[in-house]
Amino acid sequence: MRKLIAGMKISVDGKMEGPEGYADWVAAWQDDYDLTSQVDACVLGAAMYRGYETYWTAIQTEPDGHHWIGDNPPTPGELEWASFAARTPHYVLSSTMESAQWPNTTFLRSLDDIAALKEQTGKDIYLMGGAQITAGLVDAGLVDELRLIVYPLIAGEGKALFAGTEHRHGLELRKVQQLSDGRVSLIYGSAG
């Protein structure tokens, strides 16, 4: 069975975005989780997908341009992710969305569809977010691994990653790694 791996960049106080609607403390949106060789599909919620599709399409079509997150052109890591995203199937969990610009986008309507996707042949699946879908899939027992990069910052206002989680979930710490600039990478698995 394929693993569903959630990866998030959060503040010390568990925020995944600030009051502006994104994590302004993240310098680059690249694969800092070492997932591109391990996954061959991405899952997102409808709310996140709309901005994600717009952002990465802009980088794909105008790689030297400035985009809505930050004032700098894309980093080499972001260009690499844009290329990966262009060729990788994306699955959007939504009961209402009907269309997407990307041709490799499929809509899933229920948690059963996510469970069925995990049963298909292939590499693991990257659960990119947002917070609501991540909390829902954790509560449903469908997330096999959680990769967090914790930034040395108390964000205060903003959206907490697990604010929508309804149940307690034990986790098993699998790896801790100190990164540059005071960040910490944490990898957890389901505790049973």
Side-chain angles (χ1 to χ4, degrees), residues 95-111:
S95 60
T96 59
M97 253 181 108
E98 297 288 336
S99 65
Q101 293 177 1
W102 284 0
N104 58 351
T105 301
T106 302
F107 296 100
L108 305 176
R109 302 301 182 197
S110 69
L111 297 179

Side-chain angles (χ1 to χ4, degrees), residues 126-140:
Y126 178 14
L127 172 58
M128 305 181 72
Q132 184 176 356
I133 185 175
T134 300
L137 293 177
V138 165
D139 274 343

Side-chain angles (χ1 to χ4, degrees), residues 43-72:
V43 171
L44 300 92
M48 182 178 174
Y49 183 78
R50 288 179 184 97
Y52 173 91
E53 180 184 63
T54 300
Y55 182 72
W56 292 106
T57 297
I59 290 175
Q60 291 164 3
T61 58
E62 195 179 337
D64 296 328
H66 295 269
H67 305 285
W68 65 273
I69 298 179
D71 293 327
N72 299 316

Side-chain angles (χ1 to χ4, degrees), residues 10-16 25 150-151 153-157 159-161:
I10 62 170
S11 62
V12 168
D13 56 341
K15 301 297 189 324
M16 62 164 295
W25 54 86
V150 182
Y151 284 70
L153 161 80
I154 296 173
E157 285 188 59
K159 184 184 287 186
L161 175 56

Side-chain angles (χ1 to χ4, degrees), residues 23 41 64 68 87 90 105 134 141 158 170-171 174 178 181 188 190:
D64 296 328
W68 65 273
R87 65 179 186 273
H90 284 67
T105 301
T134 300
L171 301 172
R174 295 193 177 152
Q178 185 170 344
D181 302 327
Y188 291 98
S190 301

Side-chain angles (χ1 to χ4, degrees), residues 110-117 142:
S110 69
L111 297 179
D112 289 340
D113 292 341
I114 299 282
L117 180 63
L142 292 170

